[in-house]
Amino acid sequence: MIHNPAIDAMMDRASVRRYRKERPSREVIETVARAGIQAPFASQLHSILLSDKPKAPFGAPLWFTICVDLHKLELFMKARGWKRVTNDLAMLVFGIQDAAYMAENMVIAAESLGMGSCFLGESPWLADRVAEEFSLPPLVMPLVGLVMGYPDEKRPPRPRYPLEYSLFEGKYPQLGEADVAAMMKAMDEGYLAQDYYRRAKAKIPLEDGTVAEGREDTFSYDDYSWTEHISRKWGQWYRTPDDLLEQFAKRGFSLLPTAVSGAAAVAPGGGVPPSGAGEGKKH
Amino acid sequence: MIHNPAIDAMMDRASVRRYRKERPSREVIETVARAGIQAPFASQLHSILLSDKPKAPFGAPLWFTICVDLHKLELFMKARGWKRVTNDLAMLVFGIQDAAYMAENMVIAAESLGMGSCFLGESPWLADRVAEEFSLPPLVMPLVGLVMGYPDEKRPPRPRYPLEYSLFEGKYPQLGEADVAAMMKAMDEGYLAQDYYRRAKAKIPLEDGTVAEGREDTFSYDDYSWTEHISRKWGQWYRTPDDLLEQFAKRGFSLLPTAVSGAAAVAPGGGVPPSGAGEGKKH
């Protein structure tokens, strides 16, 4: 493992949930945002909202909402006499990447400036409320919240899977029982060694009306760890896509196939980008 | 604007399309990947594929494909006696973010180690081919290609919108004609000053069978610039979502609403995460 200041800023980072009250200067805020928008991009399909409410999650002085933004794109396309024809799903696949690359630059910039940060993943489900608060035009979709400020706690970086289970050369391996056990062990023992969930009081309850119903919760904070925690999220939460699809629809995005949406037929051979290496591949 | 090594690594970066042949060392590759997986995350819903083919786009020595990966998640959930119930769309919204935050860490780590990189956006449309090449299990979806290596060219960073059009405090502004003109001017004059598209021979042709049909191409490399280039992408390409939806379906992801997919009804009140600040909001 090679070390330098940029890599250390990434390796030493942990999400921060306690902040000092001090508000970062305008120069600090603009540096973070400016480093954000310099991220590699397709079409700058993003915007950064900064809340002016006095209260933010975890008492953070800065509360950003990172958005996918097709509004600015359509404004300049119209000024050029063009109309967007690319489907919304493709735009979202590119736009979420644009917004996420920007957000991650902001996270690392913050770290390098002595700040901490924490992502809040529920923004897409709250899109209508964010849209109202910020008077969002159509085609601006909140993707993720990001709080930021000077930390009032110092936490070690969290464990990750051993690298051999994330970097695969030539072939994705068949992961057998021993591999799964090794992945789980690294994560669960790593979090337990930090006493992470006890300190965060973060045990997720077993919910009525879910697949967990009737299951006895035998876990205490002595053995409740990462794989159980993550299992309780994706084994209980967000079962239907309908509410998220509705939030997308309210912001002007449709993810339906042509046969369902009844969109006009596409001219044969049209609308496919050129293949082969080169600019056509770099979005 | 504040400067430090991490911020400079982000600000000085430009995508590289010419590479030296020298293969980065195993230590360099592992450092980049390790910095990648340390990115903030929900559930490590990602994997990095590294091609062992002798040829890569732009002659780069390293050719990664960044994937959204639910396979590892389901393996350890099964080992814990859980079954994933969260819908595929929500998993993708989180998984694309996981994968993108990781990818951007890799980009910055590469930059800090003297390498360059370039994203290749078409991977989701080639998912079946990537799946065959790497023997991908179900629920592993290629998101983006990333080539990397020591650069054989030095290019200045590309322009971005002025920050006032990306960072909005309290309210998303109404962007009038003068604003749109200012955004376009910054981008178009910035690219023309670098003679970017002429050097890249990157003009996108007006295609038959598209909305551009019959339009006369009056642009030369003296006035062809960013807003025209981007307009020609999203004014001509990827009109139907059906091929992308098919690629998702082949990898095991369905994005259909419940009424269309016919999924089982959800028990009333079940499957919604707890509201309020705290761990429930941080994915």
Side-chain angles (χ1 to χ4, degrees), chain A residues 194-224:
Chain A
Q194 296 185 9
D195 213 8
Y196 179 84
Y197 292 103
R198 189 194 313 266
R199 292 169 61 143
K201 300 185 187 67
K203 198 172 164 190
I204 298 173
L206 299 178
E207 297 174 21
D208 292 339
T210 74
V211 290
E213 190 160 54
R215 185 187 292 225
E216 195 184 352
D217 191 350
T218 60
F219 286 87
S220 75
Y221 282 121
D222 293 334
D223 57 359
Y224 182 89

Side-chain angles (χ1 to χ4, degrees), chain A residues 85-149:
Chain A
V85 300
T86 301
N87 71 87
D88 291 353
L89 177 64
M91 294 309 292
L92 276 174
V93 167
F94 292 129
I96 293 177
Q97 289 183 73
D98 271 6
Y101 300 145
M102 174 179 74
E104 184 59 10
N105 267 21
M106 293 173 68
V107 163
I108 299 165
E111 204 69 18
S112 78
L113 293 166
M115 293 192 292
S117 63
C118 186
F119 278 125
L120 308 167
E122 65 183 352
S123 296
W125 284 264
L126 307 174
D128 47 3
R129 281 195 251 166
V130 179
E132 191 177 12
E133 180 189 341
F134 286 91
S135 306
L136 297 185
L139 297 175
V140 179
M141 177 74 193
L143 175 67
V144 69
L146 177 62
V147 293
M148 194 176 283

Side-chain angles (χ1 to χ4, degrees), chain A residues 1-2 4 6-7 10 13 15 17 23 26-27 31 37-44 47-50 52 69 71-73 76-77 80-87 90 94 97 100-101 104-105 108-109 112 118-122 125 134 137 144 158 160-161 165-170 172 184 187-188 191 215 219 226-242 245 256-258 270-271 273-274 279 281-283, chain B residues 1-2 4 6-7 10 13 15 17 23 26-27 31 37-44 47-50 52 69 71-73 76-77 80-87 90 94 97 100-101 104-105 108-109 112 118-122 125 134 137 144 158 160-161 165-170 172 184 187-188 215 219 226-242 245 256-258 266 270-271 273-274 279 281-283:
Chain A
M1 182 90 202
I2 303 166
N4 65 38
I7 287 171
M10 292 183 257
R13 182 191 176 281
S15 292
R17 293 190 179 79
R23 189 178 170 86
R26 190 76 208 167
E27 188 180 24
T31 297
I37 65 170
Q38 198 61 42
F41 72 116
S43 314
Q44 300 187 82
S47 283
I48 307 165
L49 309 176
L50 176 56
D52 57 8
D69 188 331
H71 176 64
K72 292 184 284 191
L73 170 76
F76 81 69
M77 286 186 73
R80 293 216 77 94
W82 282 91
K83 188 176 170 345
R84 176 173 66 93
V85 300
T86 301
N87 71 87
F94 292 129
Q97 289 183 73
Y101 300 145
E104 184 59 10
N105 267 21
I108 299 165
S112 78
C118 186
F119 278 125
L120 308 167
E122 65 183 352
W125 284 264
F134 286 91
V144 69
R158 317 293 187 240
R160 294 293 185 268
Y161 294 140
Y165 298 116
S166 291
L167 174 63
F168 303 131
E169 190 161 353
Y172 193 107
M184 293 174 73
M187 294 304 299
D188 287 338
Y191 269 81
R215 185 187 292 225
F219 286 87
W226 189 79
T227 61
E228 178 68 17
H229 187 73
I230 298 296
S231 295
R232 290 182 180 201
K233 288 187 180 183
W234 311 134
Q236 301 191 114
W237 294 356
Y238 299 118
R239 276 183 290 168
T240 158
D242 297 356
L245 285 166
L256 296 177
T258 308
E279 175 63 22
K281 296 176 81 175
K282 165 63 174 72
H283 295 286
Chain B
M1 181 90 201
I2 303 166
N4 64 38
I7 286 170
M10 292 183 255
R13 183 192 176 280
S15 292
R17 295 190 178 77
R23 187 177 171 87
R26 190 75 209 169
E27 187 181 23
T31 297
I37 64 170
Q38 198 62 41
F41 72 115
S43 314
Q44 299 188 83
S47 284
I48 306 165
L49 309 176
L50 175 56
D52 56 8
D69 188 331
H71 175 64
K72 292 184 285 193
L73 171 75
F76 81 66
M77 287 185 73
R80 292 217 77 95
W82 282 92
K83 189 177 170 345
R84 176 173 67 92
V85 300
T86 302
N87 71 86
F94 292 129
Q97 289 183 73
Y101 300 146
E104 184 59 10
N105 266 21
I108 298 164
S112 78
C118 185
F119 278 125
L120 307 166
E122 66 183 353
W125 284 266
F134 287 91
V144 69
R158 318 294 187 240
R160 294 293 185 269
Y161 294 140
Y165 298 116
S166 292
L167 174 63
F168 303 131
E169 190 161 354
Y172 194 107
M184 294 175 72
M187 293 306 299
D188 287 338
R215 186 186 292 225
F219 286 87
W226 188 80
T227 61
E228 178 67 17
H229 186 73
I230 298 296
S231 295
R232 290 182 179 201
K233 288 186 180 184
W234 311 134
Q236 301 192 113
W237 294 357
Y238 299 116
R239 276 183 289 168
T240 159
D242 297 355
L245 285 167
L256 296 176
T258 308
V266 174
E279 175 64 21
K281 295 176 83 175
K282 163 66 174 70
H283 294 286

Side-chain angles (χ1 to χ4, degrees), chain B residues 84-118:
Chain B
R84 176 173 67 92
V85 300
T86 302
N87 71 86
D88 291 354
L89 177 63
M91 293 310 292
L92 276 173
V93 167
F94 292 129
I96 293 177
Q97 289 183 73
D98 270 6
Y101 300 146
M102 174 179 74
E104 184 59 10
N105 266 21
M106 293 173 68
V107 163
I108 298 164
E111 203 70 18
S112 78
L113 294 166
M115 294 193 290
S117 63
C118 185

